[in-house]
Amino acid sequence: MKGKSFTFLVLFCYASLSAGLNAQRSGTIVMEDVERAHFRKEILIPDIAGYLTLKCDFHMHTVFSDGNVWPTVRVDEAWEDGLDAISITDHIEGHPKKLPGQKHNGYEIALPSAQMRDIILIKGGEISRNMPPGHFNALFVSDVNALDLPDYMDALGEAVRQGGFVIWNHPGWRRQQPDTTKWMPEHEDIYRKGWMHGIEVFNEKEWYPEAVQWALEKDLAITGHSDIHESYNYKYNTDLYPVRPLTLVFARERSEASIKEAMFARRTATLFFNRLVGKKEFIDPLVSQSVKVEPSHFSHEGYLYFNIRNSSDIEFTFLKESADSSELPARFVLPRRGTLVLRAKQVKGKAQNYLYRLENVLTGVEEHPVFMIRVQ
Ligand SMILES: [Zn+2]
Ligand SMILES: [Zn+2]
C-alpha cells in the first residue's frame, strides 16, 4: 500500500511539472528566476554608548570623471554592501577621461536611487592637484562646480566657505610620494588655516602609518575609503574580504546633519580589510561590545573550557602579551560572527586573567588595545 501511494505521488509530481513547463508553446517565455536576488548584506558593527556606528565610504568615482560606472551603480553597490552613507567624489578639474564641458552632476543623478534605498548621499568632489599638496575631498559642499578654480588654495577656501569638510586623500600615494610619506609646508599651510579636517589612513589598497600619527597629533578625523573607479565586485576579493573599507562615523542619529556634526567633532574610525584604526576612546568600546568571554561551561582533566564570541563583522587577531602556564594559545584569530572554544589549565578556586594584544587593531602607530580574557 505504502509503495503504491509513493509511485502515485511521483507520477503526479512529474505530470504537474511537465504541465507547468509545457504550458506555453509559443510567444516569448520569460524566465523570471534567472535574475539574481538583490538583498542588503548588513554589516554587523556594534553601536557604542551614546552613538550609532554608521558605515560609510566617502570616496568613489563615476563616469563624471575617470570612473567606469554610472552614479546610480554606486548607490546599488552601497546598498547591497550594507553601507549607511556614501559620497560620490569625482575629480573636480578637467580629466583626460572627462567628457568636454561635463558638469558635476553625479550627485543629482544618484539622489533619487539613494532616497529610495535609504542611503545617505553626501555631495562632494575631489580637488585633485599634483603633489604638493595632492588630492583633497570636499564633503557636504553645496556647489561642486564652484570649486573648479585654478589655485588650489582658492578651491579649498571655497569648499570651506560652503561649509565643506576637507580630507587629505591618500597622503602616501606611491605615484605622488614614492619614497616616503611627508607632511610638506603646503600641508602645514592648509592645516594652519583650519582647512584640513580629516585624513585618509587607508585608500584603495594602501595604508599609511604616518597618517595615523598625524591624525592623532593634529586632531584630524581618521578615515578610510575605497576610492573605487570600476565596479566594486570587479575589483576586490569579496570572498576573502566581504566587508568593504569603511569610515566608521559615531553619530547621534542616522542623518546627514548628524554625520557632518560627528565628523567635525572627529568621532570617526576606519575599518579596512580586517584592520581597525581609531582613537582609543572609540576603539575600546567597539571591541568590548563585539567580543564577549563567557564563564566556563565544562571542566575536564584539569582544563576549563569556555566560549569567546564575536558578534561583529570585524575579525580579531589575539596575541598573548606574555608566556604563562595556562596553555591558552599564544596567537589566535577570532573570525567575524564566530565563536571559539578555548581551554585553559584550571587554577583551583580562582578566576585568572590573561592579557592579549589585538594585533589587527591600532589606536596609535604601534599601539594596540589589550584585551583581558578572564577564565572562571
Ligand atoms: Zn585622488
Ligand atoms: Zn579619488
Side-chain angles (χ1 to χ4, degrees), residues 276 283-284 287-288 291 316-321 332 356-363 367-371:
L276 177 65
I283 297 301
D284 283 350
V287 171
S288 57
V291 181
F316 292 99
T317 304
F318 288 70
L319 197 71
K320 211 192 256 174
E321 282 280 85
F332 68 94
Y356 279 82
R357 190 169 359 129
L358 299 176
E359 208 180 29
N360 64 316
V361 184
L362 287 176
T363 53
E367 262 177 55
H368 302 269
V370 171
F371 188 92

Side-chain angles (χ1 to χ4, degrees), residues 59 61 89 91 126-128 134-137 169-170 173 176 200 203 227 229:
H59 191 166
H61 295 268
T89 51
H91 300 289
E126 184 172 18
I127 300 165
S128 319
H135 294 193
F136 293 81
N137 266 0
N169 294 342
H170 42 76
W173 186 24
Q176 288 195 328
E200 277 185 344
N203 175 283
D227 196 1
H229 285 67

Side-chain angles (χ1 to χ4, degrees), residues 130-151:
N130 294 330
M131 187 68 86
H135 294 193
F136 293 81
N137 266 0
L139 306 179
F140 309 103
V141 288
S142 48
D143 181 359
V144 179
N145 291 304
L147 308 182
D148 189 0
L149 299 168
D151 186 293

Side-chain angles (χ1 to χ4, degrees), residues 262-310:
M263 292 184 76
F264 274 105
R266 316 302 195 236
R267 292 198 309 272
T268 62
T270 177
L271 174 68
F272 51 94
F273 305 118
N274 293 337
R275 258 173 224 277
L276 177 65
V277 181
K279 283 186 198 158
K280 201 169 157 47
E281 62 179 300
F282 305 119
I283 297 301
D284 283 350
L286 266 188
V287 171
S288 57
Q289 288 295 318
S290 301
V291 181
K292 305 279 183 203
V293 176
E294 296 179 352
S296 70
H297 54 266
F298 185 58
S299 70
H300 184 62
E301 293 182 347
Y303 291 95
L304 289 175
Y305 291 76
F306 61 95
N307 287 319
I308 178 164
R309 286 184 194 276
N310 181 2

